[in-house]
Amino acid sequence: MRIGFCSDTHDNLDLARSAVATFEDAGVEAVVHCGDVVAPFTASVFDADFAFHAVRGNNDGEWALAETIDEFGTYHGESAHLTFDSVDVAVYHGTSERLVDALVASGEYDYVVRGHTHERTREERGGTVHVNPGGLPFPGADDVYHVAVLDTDGETVESVAIE
């Protein structure tokens, strides 16, 4: 099974649409947004031919975001524990580094996926893989938007640049 991860689209419709096209081309069956979609009009872009999951980011303040996402996917609020083909994934936006570290150190998850820093991360600790797909480019972080694709069969994570 192929799962797409993205984060921190911050209402950039062009990048959100390109991310969706990338996920469709990759044949993903589900997409997980790690927060900072921001507004319902951006969330609607993810109403596509895959299951969609999202957690709240620190800029997702618009009250209608959860309602919009729940029309075509699942809005999990602060965090989520998802299972894909027996692969356990914790999803959290990542505003607390302490909480991210605790999730990774817990040993409860195969993957801990987060956003917030806008910097791609892939690190393995004690059997858990910590992934940040990246975010909207800004100074001091990634200079190109990226998404990630997890293949649960081979348990590989591929980073894909979106331009």
Side-chain angles (χ1 to χ4, degrees), residues 106-128:
S106 75
E108 294 292 317
Y109 306 100
D110 299 301
Y111 293 87
V112 173
V113 186
R114 57 85 63 96
H116 187 60
T117 66
H118 296 239
E119 294 180 77
R120 284 176 296 140
T121 302
R122 188 199 181 286
E123 72 166 322
E124 196 165 336
R125 273 194 271 158
T128 298

Side-chain angles (χ1 to χ4, degrees), residues 66 83 88 128:
T83 303
D88 289 314
T128 298

Side-chain angles (χ1 to χ4, degrees), residues 33-35 53-57 60 65-66 69-70 74-80 91-93:
H33 197 297
C34 300
H53 300 270
V55 297
R56 181 176 55 250
D60 290 330
L65 184 63
I69 290 172
D70 282 338
T74 306
Y75 186 76
H76 296 275
E78 183 80 17
S79 63
V91 185
Y92 167 62
H93 183 59

Side-chain angles (χ1 to χ4, degrees), residues 26-70:
V28 303
E29 294 179 47
V31 168
V32 178
H33 197 297
C34 300
D36 281 356
V37 172
V38 182
F41 64 84
T42 303
S44 296
V45 171
F46 292 92
D47 185 359
D49 194 24
F50 44 67
F52 183 70
H53 300 270
V55 297
R56 181 176 55 250
N58 62 306
N59 288 294
D60 290 330
E62 195 158 331
W63 64 271
L65 184 63
E67 183 178 306
T68 298
I69 290 172
D70 282 338

Side-chain angles (χ1 to χ4, degrees), residues 1-5 28 84 87 89 111 113 148-158:
M1 181 176 195
R2 294 173 64 77
I3 312 301
F5 297 113
V28 303
F84 303 103
V87 174
V89 179
Y111 293 87
V113 186
V149 177
L150 166 65
D151 184 337
T152 61
D153 292 334
E155 293 201 35
T156 59
V157 178
E158 174 189 5

